[in-house]
Amino acid sequence: MSKYIAAIDQGTTSTRCILFNHQGKIVSVGQKEHEQIYPQPGWVEHNPEEIWKNTLEVIAIARIHVSATSSDIAAIGITNQRETTVAWNKRTGKPYHNALVWQDTRTTDLVAKYEKEGGLNQFRDITGLPVSTYFSGLKLQWLLENVSGLRADAEKGEALFGNMDTFLIWHLTGGVHGGIHVTDVTNASRTQLMNLRTLQWDQKMLDAYNIPAIMLPAIKSSSEIYGTVTNEVLPGVPVAGDLGDQHAALVGQTCFEPGMAKNTYGTGCFLVMNTGSEIKTSENGLLTTVAYQFGNNPVHYALEGSVAVTGALVQWVRDNLGLIKNSSDIEKLAKTVDDNGGAYFVPAFSGLYAPYWRNDARGVIAGLTRYVNKGHIARAVLEATAYQTLDVVNAMEQDSGIKLSSLRVDGGMVLNQLLMQFQSDILDTQVVSPAVAETTALGAAYAAGLAVGYWNNTDELRQNWAVAHTWSPEMPAVKRDELYRGWQKAVTKSYAWMD
Ligand SMILES: Nc1ncnc2c1ncn2[C@@H]1O[C@H](COP(=O)(O)OP(=O)(O)O)[C@@H](O)[C@H]1O
Ligand SMILES: O=P(O)(O)OC[C@H](O)CO
């Protein structure tokens, strides 16, 4: 048997390649950040060619660390920042435009138009999603309408659409020399173009968003052999797993039973609960999405609370205010004070996502007095992540009828002890991190490994999961309620900023 499974985690801020062994342990990592491009307020782009180049580099780095050749690697799985939209030419491989990143708000006017015509929830029954700047469909419409020549090429079958999974799989499997044009059900469920029941592109959605079907990838399960790597970086290795990153983290945390949930703390925060074969429609501002589908097995659905800005706020404090040098320094700064000093930071930089879905909101700091110093701001920054998670947990418990007994957590911000303790306090629930913190990459590895028989079934995967750390609530209820009331008041101050 080959020794390893490789996973590519193409995230918002960086691209990683991780090699896992049969116990689901990390044996090697390659990682590279890419440029965040902000051409105008609210616009966020990535250069897809830079990301493809980084992908090749990180695979090579991960391989070289342990002197692995293709024959040591049973399969490769891909997981990716979802919704981020690319259109490229089939013959040249060149993107028509930078990728429009999930946080990009340039489609705000389009959202307003659809809202006026039929309301934000008009496509929820088909797609599980509200009309929002977040999803790929409107981003693709924007590209088709604003990039010269793209619509004509798309209609001729020369231009291809994809999220980052599709773009990377196409390149890995041959690119201009016959690359495979596929996506999986989880990524497709975030385009707002797929029907949640049929798991196919929905003609009503394509008509509503004016998207030519010919440019869309084939929708596959999350775990099957899509093709083989032709690039010299890993020649002959089957590409056998594909999951949006939040779905991959659910798999990596082995949340295979209905009612199990995880929260991933990265650029944004994404709380996902497995709802099994049931398509649960949210009454409280959550998304209905596909959790995963392994080969021909029945699809699992999920409820998701997506929060746009959490770790990104820490980066903003670092890069735009210069208050800290590294993201991890925020903890030390926050510990210089005992509490938030009355200040609340609502980071509605891309509007507010779940459970509010306010495209018209923008960021505010509320409760400022002469007393507030940079320590209090750092604390308000970290607390914002915890309050936004509480908003989503409240919605999740109402929609699912399940009270979370503990929350499995992962992602870059989990390293922050102060945040995790505060999260447990404000949720009044245990917060648990797993021994393998890279759950997103692990989920993609599991999907690929299941497809090629490296792992036999999900029971084997469950045995790999172990607790690293548990945080237990310590805050009195009165204090918790008082803090949360302040947050709820602050949220309302961010509304209706955009006309
Ligand atoms: N110790 C820390 N405290 C607070 N935030 C952190 C810490 N370490 C990393 N972060 C934040 O976590 C994010 C990176 O996490 P990661 O899971 O790699 O994100 P992504 O997958 O979205 O690229 C960044 O936004 C960074 O600011
Ligand atoms: O790349 P991440 O971890 O920030 O995740 C981004 C999400 O998939 C966006 O929906």
Side-chain angles (χ1 to χ4, degrees):
M1 188 197 257
S2 301
K3 290 193 255 181
Y4 311 123
I5 295 283
I8 304 291
D9 176 3
Q10 201 304 288
T12 309
T13 53
S14 74
T15 305
R16 276 173 260 213
C17 175
I18 303 187
L19 302 187
F20 291 94
N21 67 14
H22 200 255
Q23 287 74 46
K25 298 242 160 63
I26 294 171
V27 291
S28 180
V29 183
Q31 176 165 9
K32 198 142 190 239
E33 291 203 3
H34 53 265
E35 191 188 353
Q36 306 294 317
I37 303 162
Y38 305 110
Q40 290 186 30
W43 292 29
V44 189
E45 299 180 358
H46 292 158
N47 176 352
E49 291 185 296
E50 181 192 3
I51 289 179
W52 166 233
K53 199 170 132 277
N54 288 358
T55 303
L56 291 178
E57 271 181 46
V58 296
I59 295 175
I61 295 166
R63 218 165 46 70
I64 289 162
H65 275 325
V66 287
S67 309
T69 63
S70 279
S71 58
D72 294 319
I73 297 175
I76 183 165
I78 314 283
T79 179
N80 55 295
Q81 52 169 323
R82 307 162 304 165
E83 299 98 13
T84 296
T85 299
V86 200
W88 70 98
N89 186 283
K90 192 162 135 177
R91 272 193 270 182
T92 63
K94 289 272 167 218
Y96 287 85
H97 193 275
N98 275 336
L100 306 193
V101 177
W102 56 277
Q103 304 146 315
D104 189 293
T105 58
R106 78 187 64 192
T107 54
T108 301
D109 289 349
L110 282 176
V111 171
K113 179 183 108 152
Y114 284 95
E115 182 175 15
K116 210 162 152 203
E117 286 168 6
L120 289 181
N121 288 319
Q122 59 182 307
F123 304 126
R124 251 193 197 268
D125 185 49
I126 303 174
T127 65
L129 312 173
V131 179
S132 163
T133 57
Y134 183 19
F135 309 108
S136 315
L138 286 184
K139 295 183 195 295
L140 183 54
Q141 183 183 139
W142 188 94
L143 287 173
L144 285 161
E145 270 158 27
N146 291 280
V147 178
S148 159
L150 174 56
R151 186 173 286 282
D153 282 3
E155 279 162 359
K156 275 188 281 175
E158 281 186 19
L160 303 178
F161 153 79
N163 296 125
M164 294 318 297
D165 61 321
T166 301
F167 185 71
L168 294 182
I169 293 174
W170 184 82
H171 273 289
L172 284 168
T173 58
V176 292
H177 308 293
I180 290 162
H181 190 219
V182 291
T183 189
D184 90 302
V185 278
T186 67
N187 274 296
S189 76
R190 315 297 294 195
T191 59
Q192 206 168 36
L193 302 174
M194 189 188 83
N195 184 309
L196 276 182
R197 288 169 189 82
T198 64
L199 306 174
Q200 295 300 321
W201 303 120
D202 188 280
Q203 196 54 50
K204 183 174 167 209
M205 289 312 305
L206 301 188
D207 293 344
Y209 283 180
N210 199 11
I211 308 285
I214 191 171
M215 73 187 306
L216 303 178
I219 303 174
K220 303 281 182 181
S221 83
S222 319
S223 171
E224 63 181 91
I225 298 178
Y226 313 109
T228 311
V229 178
T230 57
N231 190 284
E232 62 193 16
V233 77
L234 267 188
V237 173
V239 184
D242 179 6
L243 287 154
D245 55 10
Q246 303 312 322
H247 317 256
L250 190 75
V251 171
Q253 290 266 27
T254 64
C255 294
F256 297 128
E257 300 302 324
M260 290 182 82
K262 68 86 207 177
N263 196 25
T264 301
Y265 298 76
T267 307
C269 249
F270 302 89
L271 200 148
V272 182
M273 178 185 276
N274 190 333
T275 59
S277 56
E278 201 179 341
I279 300 183
K280 276 207 187 266
T281 307
S282 176
E283 303 289 328
N284 295 287
L286 302 179
L287 308 177
T288 307
T289 194
V290 175
Y292 52 84
Q293 185 188 26
F294 297 146
N296 294 325
N297 292 306
V299 67
H300 276 239
Y301 292 95
L303 278 171
E304 174 176 321
S306 328
V307 173
V309 179
T310 55
L313 181 59
V314 177
Q315 285 173 323
W316 181 84
V317 169
R318 181 193 67 190
D319 302 339
N320 295 37
L321 299 188
L323 284 183
I324 50 175
K325 199 157 167 278
N326 300 304
S327 289
S328 55
D329 299 340
I330 192 105
E331 184 164 6
K332 197 159 153 232
L333 184 55
K335 278 184 172 158
T336 59
V337 293
D338 292 331
D339 55 29
N340 65 14
Y344 289 85
F345 200 141
V346 184
F349 295 170
S350 310
L352 284 170
Y353 287 9
Y356 303 103
W357 300 108
R358 294 289 300 231
N359 293 297
D360 63 349
R362 286 297 178 269
V364 292
I365 306 178
L368 289 180
T369 59
R370 283 292 295 267
Y371 174 75
V372 171
N373 64 32
K374 59 187 176 183
H376 298 116
I377 297 294
R379 220 167 165 111
V381 161
L382 291 176
E383 290 185 359
T385 293
Y387 295 128
Q388 292 186 99
T389 297
L390 175 56
D391 288 339
V392 164
V393 166
N394 286 339
M396 192 71 82
E397 291 188 339
Q398 282 175 33
D399 274 338
S400 67
I402 295 171
K403 171 105 186 80
L404 282 182
S405 55
S406 74
L407 184 63
R408 292 189 177 193
V409 298
D410 51 60
M413 293 184 93
V414 168
L415 294 174
N416 193 305
Q417 298 291 325
L418 186 148
L419 170 61
M420 288 299 112
Q421 183 57 50
F422 186 78
Q423 183 68 89
S424 173
D425 285 340
I426 207 75
L427 287 176
D428 196 25
T429 298
Q430 276 197 343
V431 168
V432 183
S433 68
V436 177
E438 294 285 357
T439 53
T440 301
L442 183 59
Y446 281 163
L450 285 171
V452 297
Y454 183 85
W455 288 291
N456 291 313
N457 50 48
T458 50
D459 287 340
E460 250 182 59
L461 307 181
R462 274 194 194 94
Q463 286 162 21
N464 287 343
W465 193 88
V467 175
H469 197 94
T470 302
W471 293 267
S472 300
E474 291 167 357
M475 187 181 278
V478 177
K479 174 103 195 271
R480 198 168 54 237
D481 293 347
E482 183 194 320
L483 283 170
Y484 191 45
R485 263 199 310 279
W487 166 256
Q488 288 170 310
K489 205 155 45 155
V491 166
T492 63
K493 307 289 175 203
S494 73
Y495 290 171
W497 184 257
M498 302 301 285
D499 294 325

